[in-house]
Amino acid sequence: MPVKPAEDLAVRFPRVEGAAPDQDREWCEVLVDGEWRRIRFHDYGEIFSVPGLYEVVFHEHLECTSPRVVAQLLGSELGRAGVDPGSLRGLDVGAGNGMVAEELADLGVASQVGVDLLQAAADAAERDRPGLYDDYLACDLTELDAAERRRLERSEPNLLATVAALGFGDIPCDAFATAFDLIAEDGWIAFNIKADFLEEDDPSGFAGLVQGMLEDGVLEERARVTYDHRLSIDGRALQYVAIVGVKRADLAAASA
């Protein structure tokens, strides 16, 4: 759990008049050392530098449900398939400070490796949830060097989880594809994405990527649910889609 309790953090949100800002431009102010500091939600390095702030902003104030929703959807499908969660070795991509991994550990997932672009995320995970991960790499999945790839392959992951991380540039399609191909064949895939990013006119590329994976048989979809990810700063519910499936082939092989 976070080392700083919620009651020790003062957070305030802007008053929204007219159109709400885009999701990746939302911000709040937090009282740090007696001064109000403005922090954009997607400036994760700053968010993670304040112990407990991520949980207070996204889960207490904005009512984020995604770690629980994705983990529960995965758990339901594992149960339906008769798979013991203890047989899974997870790769948590866009891991942040470990909220998703904590849900998966509660589900019974045996071991997990975290991956995030930011060293600040790795530091926050060790600070807030020490010992949760067997390993944690701060790296760019689109530019893995040989040593990083060996570390990721060492655990022989058969579960990929990525929650609230796709579609905004932090984890582009190429990074997701790299992570997907690290998972063993017949391994499990659990992720979510903003519903807009699965529309045909989506500029991020994820709509085409996900549809292509399903059509090519690379990913066998087992469950999909549309749900309220969290509230925006003007109180609107943000719609996301959670998908759980089984990997049947590497993306690299399918596109060769």
Side-chain angles (χ1 to χ4, degrees):
M1 295 299 293
V3 298
K4 183 174 237 185
E7 58 266 24
D8 288 348
L9 286 173
V11 176
R12 63 190 186 191
F13 297 87
R15 182 182 301 238
V16 176
E17 297 181 0
D22 292 338
Q23 189 175 335
D24 63 346
R25 296 176 60 196
E26 291 181 307
W27 57 275
C28 68
E29 292 182 329
V30 58
L31 190 63
V32 179
D33 298 328
E35 296 185 359
W36 288 100
R37 182 195 301 176
R38 177 170 169 165
I39 298 179
R40 190 173 68 93
F41 288 176
H42 282 208
D43 286 338
Y44 291 116
E46 287 199 65
I47 292 275
F48 290 135
S49 72
V50 181
L53 181 59
Y54 187 94
E55 288 82 353
V56 169
V57 170
F58 293 107
H59 292 266
E60 295 187 19
H61 285 281
L62 300 180
E63 303 176 11
C64 180
T65 65
S66 284
R68 174 178 52 81
V69 167
V70 175
Q72 288 183 350
L73 190 64
L74 173 64
S76 294
E77 293 309 308
L78 293 175
R80 200 185 313 275
V83 175
D84 177 7
S87 68
L88 298 182
R89 300 170 300 279
L91 186 64
D92 181 12
V93 174
N97 68 343
M99 292 200 70
V100 174
E102 190 170 56
E103 292 280 353
L104 295 176
D106 288 345
L107 188 65
V109 173
S111 64
Q112 298 185 69
V113 172
V115 179
D116 202 286
L117 270 172
L118 301 176
Q119 183 61 46
D123 295 342
E126 181 58 29
R127 177 195 67 208
D128 296 344
R129 296 173 176 85
L132 178 60
Y133 292 101
D134 296 319
D135 196 4
Y136 196 122
L137 281 74
C139 64
D140 185 344
L141 286 169
T142 67
E143 297 181 355
L144 285 180
D145 62 32
E148 291 168 339
R149 182 174 291 276
R150 284 194 299 270
R151 280 178 66 182
L152 293 174
E153 292 174 341
R154 188 178 303 148
S155 67
E156 300 180 333
N158 58 359
L159 165 66
L160 171 63
T162 180
V163 176
L166 303 179
F168 287 102
D170 297 321
I171 301 178
C173 290
D174 287 352
F176 181 73
T178 296
F180 185 91
D181 283 357
L182 288 166
I183 304 303
E185 190 171 307
D186 300 327
W188 288 81
I189 310 296
F191 67 97
N192 76 339
I193 190 166
K194 191 174 182 180
D196 292 351
F197 295 146
L198 294 180
E199 298 293 332
E200 289 185 3
D201 59 352
D202 157 58
S204 75
F206 275 99
L209 175 64
V210 172
Q211 188 60 35
M213 292 167 71
L214 296 174
E215 291 176 353
D216 294 342
V218 169
L219 175 65
E220 177 189 322
E221 184 175 309
R222 294 292 183 89
R224 177 187 296 231
V225 62
T226 301
Y227 67 100
D228 294 343
H229 162 61
R230 67 165 172 85
L231 301 177
S232 67
I233 59 173
D234 67 350
R236 292 176 300 109
L238 299 174
Q239 293 279 292
Y240 270 54
V241 176
I243 296 175
V244 169
V246 177
K247 174 183 172 176
R248 295 306 187 194
D250 282 352
L251 267 167
S255 59

